[in-house]
Amino acid sequence: SVVGTLNATFYITGLQLEEGEVATPFEEREYVVELRRCQRYFQICYANTRGYANTAAHAMNTSIHYYSEMRAVPTAILTAGTRVNATVTIPAIDQYGSNHRIAFTAAGAGYAINEVVRILAEL
């Protein structure tokens, strides 16, 4: 008995919710199709940019390509990874990808690695 068993798990699969009073035929999508549909709303991408600058006035961009096209122009939330001699922004973003930009804070080597970029295009 699921109800009478401590820490029991009850699984429901093959369920389709319908709006209205008339049910449509059951629609079963492949995993990869459903994943792509979900990725139109939310994705987690990773960025790594490394370089060398002669002066602190230099900057570099790295492209971030999304796994699938977003449903609208998304918002990017950047979580810092490891940064040395660099500040980071996401200066350009659209439904297909964005840029990870490091601005050098001094001459010499600089990088921003293991950056996590959450891409959101919620309703």
Side-chain angles (χ1 to χ4, degrees):
S1 169
V2 175
V3 177
T5 305
L6 181 63
N7 296 323
T9 303
F10 181 70
Y11 294 99
I12 297 176
T13 62
L15 178 69
Q16 178 172 305
L17 301 176
E18 296 282 344
E19 182 180 359
E21 297 180 16
V22 178
T24 61
F26 186 76
E27 180 181 7
E28 188 171 349
R29 295 186 191 116
E30 292 182 34
Y31 174 80
V32 70
V33 171
E34 198 65 26
L35 176 62
R36 292 288 184 231
R37 290 171 59 102
C38 293
Q39 287 176 333
R40 294 178 62 233
Y41 297 88
F42 177 78
Q43 296 182 37
I44 295 178
C45 301
Y46 301 92
N48 296 294
T49 304
R50 299 173 186 260
Y52 187 88
N54 292 330
T55 69
H58 285 91
M60 293 183 65
N61 287 329
T62 300
S63 295
I64 299 172
H65 300 281
Y66 303 151
Y67 302 110
S68 58
E69 179 182 340
M70 303 301 286
R71 60 167 284 282
V73 175
T75 301
I77 299 171
L78 181 65
T79 303
T82 304
R83 297 176 181 174
V84 171
N85 190 24
T87 58
V88 179
T89 58
I90 304 291
I93 188 167
D94 64 21
Q95 293 99 308
Y96 310 101
S98 55
N99 287 332
H100 180 251
R101 180 181 181 86
I102 66 170
F104 291 91
T105 56
Y111 58 84
I113 58 173
N114 302 320
E115 303 269 311
V116 178
V117 186
R118 287 175 173 75
I119 308 298
L120 308 164
E122 299 174 318
L123 293 174

